[in-house]
Structure formats: C-alpha cells, structure tokens
Amino acid sequence: MKMKIGELAKLAGCPVVTIRFYEKEGLLARPERSEGNYRLYGEADLERLRFVMHCRRHGMKLAEIRELLAFRDRPARDCAWVHKLVDEHIANVEAQIAGLEHLKAELTALRDASAHGPGCGAGCGILASLSAADSCPYCEDLRCRTADRDESPAPLAKPRAFK
C-alpha cells in the first residue's frame, strides 16, 4: 500500500516537516514519486520512521540513529557496541537526575531560608538571594558539568562504515 506524506505523518504521529528532515539527513530513503510528483511511501518506510522516532524519544542523536539503522540493515557483527551506547545514555540520564536533585535541594534551601508571607514585598529573601553577587553552588556545578560535556565528544558520534 502506497501513501502520501500526510498519511505517513498521521500514521506515525509526527509532523510532515520531520519526515522531510529525516529524508534530508539520510535516515529515511528518498521516496518514490507519483506522476503528480507526490512522495509515495510504503509500510517499510512507516516502520523505519517509527524506529527513528523511537530512538529520538530515547535521546539518541542523529549520528547514533544512523549507526543503529546501518547495523539493523546489515547486522554482520557483534552488537556489544549497541549495549555500550545504551549504557552511555543510562549514565547521561543518571547524571541529569543527579543534577536535578541537586537543583531541587538548592531551590528548597533558598525557599526555606527566606522569610515569606504577606508584606515581605521588596524584602523578599528569595529575590535578594537571586540578586546577590556571590556565586551560587548550583550554577558553579552546572558550569563545570557543561564544560566537561563540551570538551569530551560522545564516543559514538561518528557514523561507522559497514560492509
């Protein structure tokens, strides 16, 4: 069964522009064209699009998805690297959770250390603390984690060649 891009988008639950973007990025094959020059897709295209979208929902980068698609299309080697990729994503999620827990503790401490209630107005302790010139431990920690991430690229960022 052949379908136009709008039908594919509806079945996959994604915007048409996303499908065009994935085609441009090489994650989806260039589709057949009708006599009226409409893009025509099949069930395999729908399944591949759903795979790509599922990977994106799991936080995978386009380069990682390209690797997974290439391996899926030609699974000629050990898949241990796929487990390593998922382990790296798990570690990233754990780091994000730790960062959010730290942020929550900082915000709770900020709130609890501040007087509040009717009449605090311009004397609001939270506003005064956020305006203070001294450094915030959370902001400093975030700056360190961001710098570390920027200096060490993801190990699987480059697509692998498959034969």
Side-chain angles (χ1 to χ4, degrees):
M1 174 182 107
K2 294 293 180 183
M3 63 192 105
K4 294 180 184 175
I5 196 166
E7 297 168 271
L8 178 67
K10 185 176 180 180
L11 287 171
C14 78
V16 168
V17 68
T18 301
I19 296 170
R20 289 186 183 125
F21 174 74
Y22 289 156
E23 284 175 18
K24 182 180 160 218
E25 290 296 318
L27 298 173
L28 298 176
R30 295 220 178 258
E32 297 175 32
R33 295 284 185 153
S34 70
E35 288 183 24
N37 204 28
Y38 290 104
R39 290 174 165 91
L40 297 175
Y41 300 90
E43 291 297 321
D45 298 306
L46 175 60
E47 190 276 327
R48 188 173 180 101
L49 176 58
R50 286 179 173 157
F51 179 87
V52 170
M53 291 172 55
H54 200 175
C55 289
R56 292 295 288 165
R57 280 193 293 274
H58 282 79
M60 302 207 178
K61 298 174 187 168
L62 297 180
E64 293 168 334
I65 297 171
R66 275 189 207 92
E67 288 183 86
L68 290 169
L69 286 167
F71 181 76
R72 193 181 80 147
D73 292 344
R74 291 187 288 299
R77 61 185 175 114
D78 182 19
C79 70
W81 68 272
V82 177
H83 288 264
K84 183 178 183 223
L85 173 68
V86 171
D87 286 342
E88 290 170 0
H89 279 273
I90 291 168
N92 183 33
V93 167
E94 288 171 345
Q96 289 177 23
I97 290 169
L100 289 171
E101 287 173 345
H102 184 76
L103 174 59
K104 180 183 176 185
E106 290 291 325
L107 289 170
T108 302
L110 178 64
R111 182 200 60 209
D112 293 347
S114 171
H116 62 281
C120 77
C124 178
I126 293 175
L127 294 179
S129 180
L130 291 172
S131 299
D134 57 342
S135 65
C136 166
Y138 178 77
C139 295
E140 293 303 318
D141 182 52
L142 178 64
R143 219 173 289 142
C144 289
R145 284 185 284 121
T146 304
D148 289 345
R149 190 172 45 234
D150 291 343
E151 292 174 8
S152 55
L156 297 175
K158 292 182 182 175
R160 296 184 176 153
F162 292 91
K163 295 184 179 186

